[in-house]
Amino acid sequence: MCHGETRAGKAGFGIRQSNISSGVIACTGNSYCKYAQSNTKGHALAVIKHLEKRLELDQPVNIHLTGCPNSCASITWVTSAASGRRCMGGWLSRFCRGGFGKNQAVGRQVFSGVSATELPATLETMLRVYLKRREGRETFQQFTTRHDLNALQVMFTNAE
């Protein structure tokens, strides 16, 4: 460990990341963007804390919290108005299968109208289904590509 890492750790900055925290990215959110509908950074931290207590991934899964439905993440949560409500509370739509590079794909909307408070537990359910039903070391993107939209909706809502 280099001297700089020691100082960073003592200052309270994490210097090691799990496969959960290394895949979570959030846009600036309403703290710094007048167009953002929710506190995406706060939601991201809540997701990381929740998931790291409850499960372990053997490879990162990209989880993006953003205001853009065209994100290249495997799982994207898009802040949007749901049922005609302004989404200051953080109503989110869930997209799966996005990718980039040779695996590029536009995400498919699996569900909409998920509240920010439901986000961590919903992601936990999705990741547990993925870990249980994947083939070998299949990535989350490969897993969601292998299943049609209806199958994903059933699996993610009727998790065993």
Side-chain angles (χ1 to χ4, degrees), residues 7-105:
R7 276 193 238 148
K10 286 181 181 177
F13 294 102
I15 54 176
R16 299 185 204 281
Q17 292 186 335
S18 70
N19 283 328
I20 293 169
S21 64
S22 65
V24 176
I25 298 174
C27 73
T28 302
N30 62 6
S31 298
Y32 299 102
C33 176
K34 66 180 181 179
Y35 301 111
Q37 298 281 328
S38 69
N39 179 3
T40 55
K41 297 283 189 198
H43 298 319
L45 289 172
V47 164
I48 291 168
K49 287 178 183 178
H50 178 92
L51 294 177
E52 284 184 340
K53 289 179 185 175
R54 291 167 175 81
L55 59 91
E56 187 173 325
L57 298 175
D58 57 2
Q59 57 186 309
V61 172
N62 292 334
I63 301 172
H64 294 194
L65 286 96
T66 183
C68 173
N70 297 315
S71 178
C72 58
S74 298
I75 305 173
T76 301
W77 290 86
V78 180
T79 302
S80 61
S83 305
R85 300 179 192 167
R86 182 153 165 75
C87 45
M88 295 307 286
W91 290 96
L92 304 160
S93 298
R94 180 178 1 169
F95 289 78
C96 290
R97 194 184 133 205
F100 58 93
K102 66 179 181 164
N103 298 315
Q104 62 184 297

